[in-house]
Amino acid sequence: MSQLVIDALVLGSIYLLFCLGMSISWGTIDILNFAHGGIFMFSAFVASQIVSHVELGLVAICVISAVVGAVVSAAIDVLAFQPILRRAKNQRTAELQILIGGIGIGTIPVAIVQFYTLSEPFGFLRSTYETTVHSFGGMRLSSTGLVVLGCALVLTASIAYWLKNTSHGLALRAIGVDPETAELMGVKRRQLSLLTMGISGGLAGLAGALLTFNLGAITAESGETLLIKAFAIIILGGVGSTGGAALGAMILAFSEVLVLRYTGGGWVDAVGFGLILAVLLLRPQGIFGKKEVRRV
């Protein structure tokens, strides 16, 4: 049972790194980015291509993947989402167009990677990093799992502090509550949107690299699978809440690990959809969400 807890914590940490940026961008600048899964996978793919020519360690690969994710996400914001926001007749129309646009944009990196990999799994084959397994009390934890847990803990705490105690964080929270009033008070929404999308993409890229190290390889479709799980986590925890994202990620991970352990895995994918349905029926705003239209 203790091994199940460790496995669930590592899995939940990867889910958290993936969905945290997505939750922040949705809860503050009101962008639900369905290209997030493509960014996650494409960042790891670019890093894998670099590693195939230059031998690199875990830290360098994670940095490359995070930078690629941040750049791609910021580019999508500048080239697609901000023009949509400027031209949309109202906020509701903008949200729908961003949602549809994100789905369309997300298919581009998937198609690119499918073409170059022939839909085969890819990984960091020439990386100098070697996974070691630590055993204690009959339980096993790999060095990669330890890195995943550390990154999730440090980054979640840092982002929570940033949102609560810095001027940029307070400005983002103000945008999430009332964007029009925030702009009248001098908040630069466009610059903060670019910053938020960059952070979101960077977290996705980091999660992509860590998941690739943890599993050994991923496929072009791996990000699409995680999108549904991320959506379940965000709805469960509350849109824009870092604490809610952390709790939601762990609840989903523990549920999946238990289902996999006792049913053989056939019901694992149904867990996410079941959680979404249950939360929407019982507490639509999520565990830590608030009952405002725009929640932080």
Side-chain angles (χ1 to χ4, degrees):
M1 190 65 181
S2 299
Q3 187 62 49
L4 291 179
V5 173
I6 291 178
D7 293 340
L9 287 173
V10 174
L11 180 62
S13 296
I14 290 175
Y15 287 169
L16 177 57
L17 289 172
F18 178 83
C19 77
L20 187 57
M22 191 174 172
S23 177
I24 294 171
S25 64
W26 189 9
T28 55
I29 57 177
D30 217 18
I31 291 178
L32 177 55
N33 181 15
F34 265 71
H36 200 71
I39 295 169
F40 159 88
M41 177 277 305
F42 187 73
S43 301
F45 173 73
V46 172
S48 74
Q49 294 302 296
I50 295 174
V51 172
S52 67
H53 295 90
V54 181
E55 292 186 354
L56 297 171
L58 181 143
V59 174
I61 291 171
C62 287
V63 169
I64 290 171
S65 188
V67 170
V68 171
V71 171
V72 172
S73 184
I76 291 173
D77 184 57
V78 172
L79 299 176
F81 293 158
Q82 289 305 317
I84 288 174
L85 287 171
R86 288 196 299 269
R87 296 170 184 173
K89 295 180 180 179
N90 52 58
Q91 187 63 30
R92 186 176 183 84
T93 301
E95 290 173 358
L96 181 60
Q97 290 177 347
I98 286 174
L99 179 62
I100 296 172
I103 294 173
I105 293 168
T107 63
I108 297 174
V110 173
I112 293 172
V113 176
Q114 284 176 334
F115 175 79
Y116 281 102
T117 63
L118 302 178
S119 296
E120 294 292 328
F122 62 88
F124 307 126
L125 299 179
R126 294 190 61 190
S127 170
T128 58
Y129 171 74
E130 294 183 6
T131 301
T132 58
V133 178
H134 306 281
S135 299
F136 47 94
M139 297 178 292
R140 293 176 293 106
L141 177 63
S142 69
S143 56
T144 305
L146 195 59
V147 171
V148 169
L149 288 171
C151 286
L153 180 62
V154 171
L155 289 174
T156 302
S158 298
I159 289 175
Y161 178 85
W162 176 63
L163 285 172
K164 280 189 102 174
N165 299 286
T166 68
S167 57
H168 284 157
L170 293 172
L172 271 175
R173 292 166 60 199
I175 291 174
V177 174
D178 191 337
E180 291 78 15
T181 302
E183 287 190 279
L184 289 174
M185 296 295 291
V187 173
K188 298 178 180 179
R189 183 176 181 179
R190 189 173 300 179
Q191 287 87 336
L192 285 174
S193 175
L194 185 63
L195 175 64
T196 304
M197 290 296 290
I199 292 173
S200 176
L203 289 171
L206 176 61
L210 290 176
L211 181 62
T212 305
F213 275 117
N214 193 53
L215 297 180
I218 62 173
T219 66
E221 298 79 19
S222 295
E224 305 306 305
T225 304
L226 280 179
L227 265 180
I228 299 299
K229 300 178 186 292
F231 192 69
I233 289 167
I234 294 169
I235 295 297
L236 178 61
V239 178
S241 169
T242 52
L247 180 60
M250 293 306 164
I251 290 175
L252 180 62
F254 272 90
S255 301
E256 288 187 346
V257 169
L258 289 173
V259 169
L260 183 63
R261 173 69 172 79
Y262 294 109
T263 70
W267 291 88
V268 169
D269 290 337
V271 171
F273 291 103
L275 285 173
I276 291 175
L277 179 60
V279 173
L280 288 176
L281 290 175
L282 300 175
R283 187 176 171 83
Q285 71 270 28
I287 297 173
F288 291 124
K290 301 177 183 178
K291 293 185 178 180
E292 289 87 3
V293 176
R294 305 182 199 285
R295 292 164 292 186
V296 185

